[in-house]
Amino acid sequence: MTQNQSTIVALATPPGKGGVAIVRVSGPLSRDITSKILGKSLTPRQATYLPFIDRSGQQLDVGIAIFFQGPHSFTGEDVVEFQGHGGPVVMDMLMESILQCGASLARPGEFSERAFYNDKMDLTQAEAIADIIDSGSKQAAISALRSLNGEFSNKVHLLVEKVVQLRIFVEAAIDFPEEEIDFLADDNVVSQLTDIIQDLAELMRNAQQGSLLREGMKVVIAGKPNAGKSSLLNALSGKQSAIVTDIAGTTRDVLTEQISIDGLPLHIIDTAGLRKAKDKVEQIGIERATREIEQADRVLLVVDAAEEKIEDVEQTLSKLLDSDISLPPVTQIRNKCDLTGELPDVCESENLVTVTMSASELTGLDLLKQHLKRVIGYNASESGVFMARRRHIDALTRASEHLDTGYAQLTGMAAGEILAEELKLTQNCLNEITGEFTSDDLLGKIFSSFCIGK
Amino acid sequence: MIYDKSFDVIVVGGGHAGTEAALAAARTGASTLLITHNIETLGQMSCNPAIGGIGKGHLVKEIDALGGVMAKAIDHSGIHFRRLNASKGPAVRATRAQADRTLYKNYVRCQLENQDLLQIFQQSVDDLILQQDKVVGVVTQMGLQFNAKSVVLTAGTFLDGKIHIGLSSYSGGRAGDPPSIGLSERLRELPFNVERLKTGTPPRIDARSINFKELEPQHGDSPVPVFSFTGKASQHPQQIPCHITHTNKRTHEIISGGLDRSPMFSGIIEGVGPRYCPSIEDKITRFSERDSHQIFIEPEGLETFEVYPNGISTSLPFDVQMAFVRSIKGFENAHITRPGYAIEYDYFDPRELKASLETRHIQGLFFAGQINGTTGYEEAAAQGLIAGLNAALLVQEKESWSPSRNESYIGVMIDDLITRGTQEPYRMFTSRAEYRLILREDNADLRLSEKAHELGLLSDALWQLTATKRDLINLEIERMKSSWVQSNSPSAQKINQLLEKPLSREYSQMDLLKRPQLDYAALVEAIPGVGDGLPEPVKEQVEIQAKYAGYIDRQLDEIERNKKQQNLKIPAQLDFSKIGGLSNEIIQKLSDTRPETIGQASRISGITPAAISMLLITIKKRKIRLSGTESSDTESLSVNPKVEQS
Ligand SMILES: Cc1cc2nc3c(=O)[nH]c(=O)nc-3n(C[C@H](O)[C@H](O)[C@H](O)COP(=O)(O)OP(=O)(O)OC[C@H]3O[C@@H](n4cnc5c(N)ncnc54)[C@H](O)[C@@H]3O)c2cc1C
Ligand SMILES: Nc1nc2c(ncn2[C@@H]2O[C@H](COP(=O)(O)OP(=O)(O)OP(=O)(O)O)[C@@H](O)[C@H]2O)c(=O)[nH]1
Ligand SMILES: [Mg+2]
């Protein structure tokens, strides 16, 4: 059974040594996409080294591409794989080009799912897929939610509300033409639509200028005074940016460094040690730390390895913060392992990740970097924060195209039903971001907004 | 006493659902018996004398495409036809007509009496005969027993019907008709989920007591629309106008003053009413800022003086009804011929139905119409047709058929009902259809007639008409795609006059037709030979397909892509609780609704895409297992690897 005919794309592996990453495409458009990205078609199953180019003819990267003709492929469909060196940002630009060719982003586990439907997997292998889909979609939901915190999320929600508000008018005009008001003739509709188009354009400008994707994810270092937070920042950035002393309460303000792990851009933020501070300056520092944590994609909770191992990091952090803000995922860093004699180590259990290391001796630093790359970059490649954000931008782009067409239809042809269609598609796109797909009771809203019916 | 003849199909109830059900069953070759309270009320319109409207008109055209009677009946009895949304695009245009009640009823009865294999019997049905969980016949009020292989129940608003006027209430099926109490009690003993709904109707007024001089007339449209694809305007009886008046501040004051004696506001009525058909007392309380509401004064027929004031449905006490009616312009001296009232009645949770409208609990028993939680003649008739058809197919041991969401409004309605249920009387609206641009009134025949013919619902001759039309449309589209207009030709010069910028290169006629400034008539005008000999409906279809081209393609694409998955059957024995990774809430919802296909499952509220993936995997695995050799525990469907390996 071929489940459907769409073509999907995703990062298949995170960048390894030297930043090599694989983008995989599966579906009927694969062949077409191959020639668009490479400027030529490929002999099946032959690795070819050549430049990847975008729509405007600009070279994105040079790498290896392999085309697999269905059914002789992982999924059983036509598949093409691009292996690039350019790191996540370049790979993302490559994915964007592929999306523009008509592919859509794969759901978690979708490649395996297709392989299964196309009889490319036996029953035992298939047992695992359900788990991947299940955990993958939960993870994706969490990632999407995280990256949605704050202003961006508010704006998307506001936009959805405005679209729904407009749809109420447009649908009412169509289903209730015998009422005394002609909803469509109302100038209101054009001005509401223009308003939405402007809002979306602004949102896209912000999103694309990098604050969302290209600029990188936020990692906040937090913990008690003297745990070694500033030392960790210095270790990760490879320079002495923060002052390190053995005086508790050295750091009083937030300090940000940009780093890149195999091309994955990250903001590392050092914060003031968390304690009941009497000093006014330190209090403000702790407030700022709290705010940074709230907006982080990940928190590194630094503790002294001499202290007892923490079992519930979230609870510990909440206690230290003395507030119940919603917390991003937390990694426990057991620092100063050189003093306790423990060996550097990463220990991942279901709800607790612990990295044992030494910030001053730089031992275990690589383990931490690999860990960060996995959890923030593209672990379970289709569900990480990175992919979540790629999805957002993709959805915004499609939403904006629908709005533009809708506008042209309304102003040019007064075609209410086509505007309605475009608005519905716009809302579907925005819903992909918020993850709220439940049918919004549009009719219900019409009845409560207007006195309708005979 | 047992009646000496046994039937294939028995239809209980001769309303809009029942008459279409009986006709459809008989058309497909089943020996059919229609039992109803009263032969005089066959095809009776309980409420307003009108057929069609937005969404409803679409249903009527689909009923016609499936060989039903409704469109033909209104073509022969309509006294005021309109095309709604005429200024908007073709997808949302809809036909509506006022009917002469008596002519309508007579036409339906005549069709019933002339239908082969169909017999009619006048009695109340009080009981169903069951063998285990299978229905085998019915018993009437006088104890007469009829045997049949399947039964379609279409009791409308009659099951334990209770009529309210002010604070007094009495049992009734609708004004002037008895309720169905015995049958209601019997059905409540069966494992159905029964709830109550409510609807209402306005008082009727003697036209001779209305001052029409003061009122704005509303005439029917010209050219006069028709409903049936084979209908003609010449079938219509004499056309007469409607009138419009309004409530005013005084009216609203009178109504407010009577609210303490309203059965709705005093809590006597428990059933939920339709929000889109609010009573006048509802309107003035919920939208108190409005000091006037529109009323359409609709004639009830050519041979009667009664009119139907559409917009003032009410269950207020009669003295309040009289007072507020007389406060309305034109009604100062109005004489009310029948009081307005509300009615409460039983309905069954439609989530207990299959798409064929057979009940999941009792084999051979089908439900259609108002008892499934819908409201409206068109909604009832459409369900009746599908239920009657499937009752016959069951007897003939053929596979059931119900149209899908992407081919019809009927499919949208049935799917909505069986996957989501309804909390208020369900009425069709175009916004319920996700494929609105494809599901148009104008192409209902092209969408459904082929299947109808295959099922035996439509005669060869009628199908031939549609087949010819379809072929002509396709030929014309192909011709236009490969016929070119040169930029310097005389045709181009004529066309340029309609465009902002003149044509700069050659274009196919089809591409020209896609331009907003051009229509088919313009091409006929500009290009010699175009449209010669083609019937109007063919030209219309070509034009619509050009105008909606991109959208139709996108929707068809989506339908095609999802088709396999949507139609994939979920095995009836599948135990949802054994599928790993589904939350309890999702397992509960799936078990309650028991979707027949993946498509239905995906539309149940709260079912996530991940859950659908798990279902798909489970079904496929089950198939592999069942076709495998060694499998002994074929019912173990867990996808939890831990369980599997142990
Ligand atoms: C007061 C009122 C107000 C309404 N208002 C609206 C409205 O505003 N808008 C709207 O769209 N629709 C309205 N309707 C609904 C519309 O009339 C129905 O939707 C439509 O008639 C339903 O068709 P049906 O075939 O399901 O049932 P009905 O038309 O009710 O027909 C049921 C038939 O079954 C027969 N019957 C019932 N029980 C038995 C039995 N035990 N044995 C034998 N025969 C039986 C009855 O005699 C009747 O002929 C209203 C109806 C009423 C009564
Ligand atoms: N032995 C050892 N000492 C360390 C390590 N990391 C930090 N230190 C020492 O611990 C002390 C505190 O380090 P900082 O990095 O300033 O600690 P901090 O958490 O930033 O402290 P505040 O800014 O005061 O909250 C310094 O004396 C560091 O040299 C480590 O891994 N091993
Ligand atoms: Mg510090």
Side-chain angles (χ1 to χ4, degrees):
Chain A
M1 179 178 82
T2 312
Q3 195 190 6
N4 56 42
Q5 269 109 53
S6 68
T7 299
I8 49 172
V9 57
L11 268 172
T13 61
K17 276 263 163 337
V20 176
I22 299 180
V23 169
R24 183 183 281 152
V25 180
S26 177
L29 288 178
S30 297
R31 190 183 284 273
D32 197 39
I33 287 171
T34 311
S35 42
K36 279 188 183 145
I37 299 292
L38 304 175
K40 60 184 266 194
S41 55
L42 296 179
T43 321
R45 308 187 144 259
Q46 221 172 72
T48 316
Y49 186 75
L50 73 182
F52 306 159
I53 44 185
D54 73 7
R55 248 214 310 219
S56 62
Q58 279 218 333
Q59 179 171 326
L60 291 168
D61 200 355
V62 182
I64 292 169
I66 314 175
F67 179 74
F68 302 89
Q69 188 160 2
H72 309 291
S73 70
F74 171 60
T75 57
E77 306 171 333
D78 283 357
V79 166
V80 59
E81 289 185 359
F82 301 96
Q83 306 182 5
H85 298 84
V89 172
V90 173
M91 289 323 260
D92 178 63
M93 286 161 73
L94 174 62
M95 272 203 304
E96 188 170 292
S97 301
I98 294 171
L99 289 171
Q100 279 170 0
C101 297
S104 52
L105 282 169
R107 284 179 287 108
E110 198 173 358
F111 284 99
S112 313
E113 216 177 313
R114 289 189 178 198
F116 177 64
Y117 295 131
N118 293 325
D119 300 319
K120 285 283 159 184
M121 280 186 181
D122 63 24
L123 208 54
T124 20
Q125 282 174 299
E127 304 295 0
I129 301 177
D131 281 355
I132 298 175
I133 294 170
D134 186 35
S135 63
S137 54
K138 274 180 201 146
Q139 222 177 316
I142 294 167
S143 308
L145 210 68
R146 276 251 53 92
S147 68
L148 263 183
N149 256 345
E151 218 182 337
F152 178 71
S153 147
N154 284 343
K155 282 189 179 151
V156 175
H157 275 111
L158 268 177
L159 205 57
V160 173
E161 255 165 52
K162 285 189 180 174
V163 172
V164 170
Q165 199 54 39
L166 183 53
R167 288 188 68 199
I168 292 175
F169 272 88
V170 176
E171 294 293 338
I174 290 172
D175 272 338
F176 302 94
E178 287 190 286
E179 297 301 324
E180 286 158 292
I181 353 152
D182 180 356
F183 303 105
L184 271 190
D186 208 330
D187 278 347
N188 209 343
V189 169
V190 180
S191 73
Q192 280 188 53
L193 183 58
T194 317
D195 203 33
I196 292 173
I197 290 176
Q198 279 167 2
D199 284 2
L200 182 67
E202 198 191 313
L203 199 58
M204 297 232 327
R205 265 197 305 280
N206 292 340
Q208 267 164 346
Q209 267 166 9
S211 65
L212 248 182
L213 184 65
R214 302 275 155 76
E215 196 183 82
M217 265 52 70
K218 268 187 168 183
V219 176
V220 170
I221 305 177
K224 289 190 204 162
N226 254 348
K229 299 182 296 299
S230 302
S231 305
L232 183 57
L233 177 77
N234 292 347
L236 281 168
S237 65
K239 43 185 183 188
Q240 299 303 312
S241 356
I243 304 166
V244 170
T245 73
D246 56 3
I247 306 165
T250 306
T251 309
R252 299 178 150 221
D253 201 353
V254 293
L255 180 65
T256 306
E257 275 297 321
Q258 302 228 30
I259 69 161
S260 147
I261 304 176
D262 288 339
L264 172 75
L266 293 181
H267 294 284
I268 309 288
I269 299 160
D270 183 22
T271 59
L274 301 171
R275 65 172 169 188
K276 285 243 156 12
K278 298 189 188 81
D279 181 345
K280 183 94 191 253
V281 179
E282 201 178 340
Q283 275 172 7
I284 295 174
I286 291 174
E287 269 166 36
R288 288 193 181 172
T290 312
R291 222 174 308 135
E292 291 296 336
I293 289 168
E294 204 170 5
Q295 293 169 8
D297 293 298
R298 188 112 201 152
V299 171
L300 302 179
L301 177 62
V302 185
V303 292
D304 198 315
E307 285 185 29
E308 211 167 288
K309 210 168 188 169
I310 299 173
E311 293 304 334
D312 189 337
V313 279
E314 265 99 32
Q315 203 192 345
T316 312
L317 184 56
S318 292
K319 244 188 225 157
L320 282 174
L321 288 170
D322 197 24
S323 86
D324 53 352
I325 56 165
S326 90
L327 290 178
V330 181
T331 301
Q332 173 179 202
I333 307 285
R334 293 180 58 76
N335 189 30
K336 307 190 189 178
C337 74
D338 53 313
L339 295 180
T340 61
E342 280 173 76
L343 288 177
D345 178 42
V346 180
C347 168
E348 294 187 25
S349 72
E350 196 171 329
N351 38 27
L352 179 63
V353 187
T354 309
V355 178
T356 309
M357 64 174 295
S358 163
S360 64
E361 306 304 310
L362 304 183
T363 52
L365 188 62
D366 261 351
L367 292 178
L368 174 61
K369 284 187 181 171
Q370 291 311 315
H371 161 71
L372 281 179
K373 199 174 82 182
R374 222 172 33 251
V375 293
I376 300 195
Y378 9 55
N379 176 35
S381 50
E382 294 139 30
S383 57
V385 178
F386 196 87
M387 282 299 283
R389 296 189 176 184
R390 161 64 20 244
R391 250 178 251 280
H392 295 345
I393 291 178
D394 183 44
L396 289 180
T397 313
R398 282 180 287 125
S400 125
E401 285 164 9
H402 290 306
L403 285 175
D404 289 344
T405 320
Y407 184 83
Q409 289 290 345
L410 176 69
T411 51
M413 284 161 254
E417 78 281 15
I418 295 189
L419 172 62
E421 180 76 12
E422 296 291 355
L423 288 176
K424 182 177 79 187
L425 294 168
T426 303
Q427 198 188 339
N428 286 349
C429 293
L430 295 177
N431 282 349
E432 286 175 28
I433 300 180
T434 59
E436 286 154 21
F437 279 105
T438 41
S439 64
D440 47 2
D441 177 21
L442 215 53
L443 280 167
K445 291 191 175 118
I446 291 176
F447 302 137
S448 52
S449 312
F450 310 114
C451 181
I452 256 170
K454 294 186 282 193
Chain B
M1 177 191 161
I2 301 181
Y3 192 73
D4 61 358
K5 180 179 175 208
S6 166
F7 293 87
D8 290 336
V9 177
I10 289 177
V11 176
V12 180
H16 306 276
T19 51
E20 292 288 0
L23 287 167
R27 277 207 305 284
T28 56
S31 74
T32 307
L33 176 69
L34 172 62
I35 310 181
T36 191
H37 277 138
N38 183 351
I39 291 180
E40 308 304 326
T41 63
L42 284 169
Q44 167 127 327
M45 298 173 144
S46 318
C47 191
N48 67 327
I51 295 287
I54 309 288
K56 287 170 173 270
H58 293 75
L59 287 173
V60 179
K61 298 267 180 175
E62 290 177 3
I63 293 169
D64 190 53
L66 292 169
V69 69
M70 186 168 253
K72 294 189 184 71
I74 184 66
D75 275 342
H76 286 86
S77 61
I79 52 180
H80 179 100
F81 283 80
R82 289 185 57 212
R83 198 87 206 278
L84 306 179
N85 273 341
S87 66
K88 301 193 185 85
V92 295
R93 286 180 202 151
T95 319
R96 183 179 194 275
Q98 293 305 132
D100 176 307
R101 266 180 206 289
T102 314
L103 290 177
Y104 186 90
K105 207 164 70 171
N106 290 349
Y107 187 90
V108 172
R109 177 167 169 187
C110 174
Q111 296 299 304
L112 289 164
E113 288 176 346
N114 285 293
Q115 174 67 49
D116 288 344
L117 294 174
L118 175 60
Q119 283 167 357
I120 303 171
F121 191 77
Q122 172 170 312
Q123 265 278 295
S124 171
V125 167
D126 278 2
D127 200 359
L128 298 174
I129 311 167
L130 301 184
Q131 271 173 10
Q132 281 96 41
D133 52 1
K134 194 170 170 213
V135 67
V136 294
V138 302
V139 185
T140 70
Q141 197 172 20
M142 64 181 197
L144 184 59
Q145 176 176 336
F146 288 95
N147 292 331
K149 300 193 184 97
S150 61
V151 172
V152 183
L153 185 67
T154 68
T157 50
F158 287 63
L159 291 174
D160 197 15
K162 188 169 252 176
I163 289 174
H164 299 265
I165 303 175
L167 298 180
S168 57
S169 68
Y170 60 94
S171 288
R174 71 188 157 208
D177 283 308
S180 220
I181 292 176
L183 189 58
S184 161
E185 282 168 0
R186 175 70 172 119
L187 287 161
R188 279 175 183 266
E189 290 165 7
L190 299 173
F192 295 114
N193 201 352
V194 190
E195 303 276 350
R196 301 282 279 174
L197 286 174
K198 172 226 122 178
T199 184
T201 197
R204 310 299 146 85
I205 300 174
D206 186 334
R208 290 168 299 184
S209 65
I210 297 176
N211 182 5
F212 284 103
K213 274 189 231 111
E214 299 283 312
L215 304 180
E216 175 195 342
Q218 184 196 42
H219 294 278
D221 285 343
S222 160
V224 188
V226 290
F227 269 100
S228 172
F229 286 100
T230 54
K232 294 186 193 68
S234 60
Q235 293 164 341
H236 300 339
Q238 182 197 341
Q239 301 294 297
I240 55 177
C242 296
H243 288 82
I244 296 175
T245 183
H246 292 87
T247 61
N248 53 48
K249 277 199 180 124
R250 179 84 197 107
T251 318
H252 296 191
E253 278 162 23
I254 298 169
I255 293 170
S256 300
L259 286 181
D260 56 335
R261 286 184 292 144
S262 148
M264 257 182 15
F265 289 88
S266 57
I268 295 176
I269 293 182
E270 290 161 13
V272 183
R275 283 174 299 174
Y276 35 82
C277 263
S279 61
I280 186 68
E281 47 268 37
D282 220 10
K283 287 194 226 178
I284 64 152
T285 21
R286 283 185 35 225
F287 296 91
S288 53
E289 71 281 5
R290 287 194 47 184
D291 48 23
S292 166
H293 295 283
Q294 188 172 243
I295 302 169
F296 290 92
I297 305 169
E298 303 172 346
E300 292 249 329
L302 296 171
E303 312 256 299
T304 172
F305 288 113
E306 270 190 307
V307 297
Y308 181 98
N310 198 345
I312 49 170
S313 167
T314 183
S315 55
L316 288 166
F318 188 64
D319 58 300
V320 184
Q321 293 188 21
M322 255 180 10
F324 88 69
V325 162
R326 287 186 182 161
S327 72
I328 295 167
K329 187 165 143 197
F331 293 172
E332 293 82 358
N333 299 306
H335 169 67
I336 294 180
T337 52
R338 308 176 201 221
Y341 65 93
I343 183 164
E344 277 187 293
Y345 55 92
D346 291 354
Y347 84 105
F348 304 95
D349 184 346
R351 284 173 296 186
E352 296 173 339
L353 297 171
K354 301 178 186 174
S356 62
L357 298 182
E358 186 182 13
T359 60
R360 287 210 320 260
H361 301 303
I362 295 177
Q363 202 192 323
L365 180 62
F366 293 75
F367 284 172
Q370 196 100 358
I371 60 170
N372 287 338
T374 62
T375 166
Y377 313 129
E378 304 81 355
E379 286 83 353
Q383 291 171 66
L385 198 155
I386 299 301
L389 165 70
N390 283 310
L393 291 175
L394 183 75
V395 172
Q396 295 155 1
E397 293 178 2
K398 291 184 189 151
E399 199 184 338
S400 68
W401 180 78
S402 187
S404 61
R405 294 185 78 89
N406 56 44
E407 63 190 341
S408 64
Y409 273 89
I410 300 180
V412 170
M413 170 175 66
I414 292 179
D415 189 70
D416 278 352
L417 291 171
I418 68 172
T419 61
R420 295 184 205 159
T422 185
Q423 276 73 48
E424 71 180 317
Y426 179 101
R427 179 213 194 272
M428 186 43 76
F429 292 104
T430 70
S431 51
R432 298 194 192 272
E434 57 275 57
Y435 300 115
R436 178 159 64 190
L437 300 181
I438 296 181
L439 306 184
R440 307 184 303 271
E441 270 200 359
D442 60 72
N443 68 353
D445 53 345
L446 297 165
R447 289 185 273 123
L448 295 169
S449 288
E450 186 165 14
K451 187 72 192 177
H453 177 242
E454 191 188 311
L455 291 162
L457 287 171
L458 202 64
S459 69
D460 292 344
L462 282 178
W463 161 234
Q464 206 44 56
L465 287 176
T466 309
T468 309
K469 177 175 164 190
R470 179 193 60 186
D471 295 345
L472 284 175
I473 294 164
N474 291 341
L475 276 174
E476 176 63 359
I477 289 177
E478 284 317 308
R479 188 197 65 74
M480 292 185 78
K481 279 184 181 161
S482 54
S483 304
W484 300 83
V485 175
Q486 310 294 330
S487 61
N488 53 5
S489 64
S491 297
Q493 277 163 19
K494 283 193 188 154
I495 288 169
N496 284 341
Q497 292 170 1
L498 301 168
L499 300 177
E500 279 163 22
K501 266 190 268 161
L503 300 178
S504 56
R505 57 175 177 87
E506 64 166 6
Y507 283 93
S508 74
Q509 292 182 7
M510 198 61 189
D511 283 339
L512 290 176
L513 189 54
K514 286 180 184 166
R515 295 183 171 226
Q517 304 87 348
L518 301 177
D519 55 15
Y520 196 92
L523 298 191
V524 169
E525 192 67 24
I527 310 167
V530 166
D532 282 359
L534 283 182
E536 278 312 312
V538 171
K539 298 180 191 168
E540 186 193 10
Q541 283 305 309
V542 172
E543 181 174 308
I544 293 171
Q545 293 197 23
K547 298 295 179 204
Y548 281 156
Y551 295 90
I552 292 179
D553 289 348
R554 183 186 355 223
Q555 296 195 340
L556 288 177
D557 218 49
E558 192 182 318
I559 293 168
E560 197 46 50
R561 252 192 291 126
N562 296 334
K563 204 176 202 164
K564 269 216 178 102
Q565 201 183 66
Q566 290 278 319
N567 299 340
L568 186 71
K569 291 242 175 348
I570 298 175
Q573 316 87 303
L574 190 72
D575 182 350
F576 296 110
S577 66
K578 291 229 175 87
I579 301 175
L582 294 185
S583 71
N584 288 337
E585 188 196 339
I586 286 181
I587 292 172
Q588 190 60 44
K589 284 191 165 150
L590 289 171
S591 311
D592 285 352
T593 315
R594 280 236 69 95
E596 294 161 89
T597 61
I598 289 290
Q600 287 174 18
S602 67
R603 288 183 293 273
I604 297 170
S605 77
I607 302 296
T608 60
I612 293 297
S613 285
M614 312 283 250
L615 262 179
L616 283 169
I617 289 175
T618 307
I619 293 169
K620 164 125 187 181
K621 277 182 12 193
R622 187 186 153 93
K623 274 199 193 122
I624 299 177
R625 266 221 200 87
L626 290 178
S627 61
T629 42
E630 81 283 74
S631 63
S632 52
D633 66 332
T634 47
E635 287 311 305
S636 157
L637 293 164
S638 167
V639 292
N640 185 335
K642 277 168 250 150
V643 176
E644 282 298 310
Q645 281 152 13
S646 61

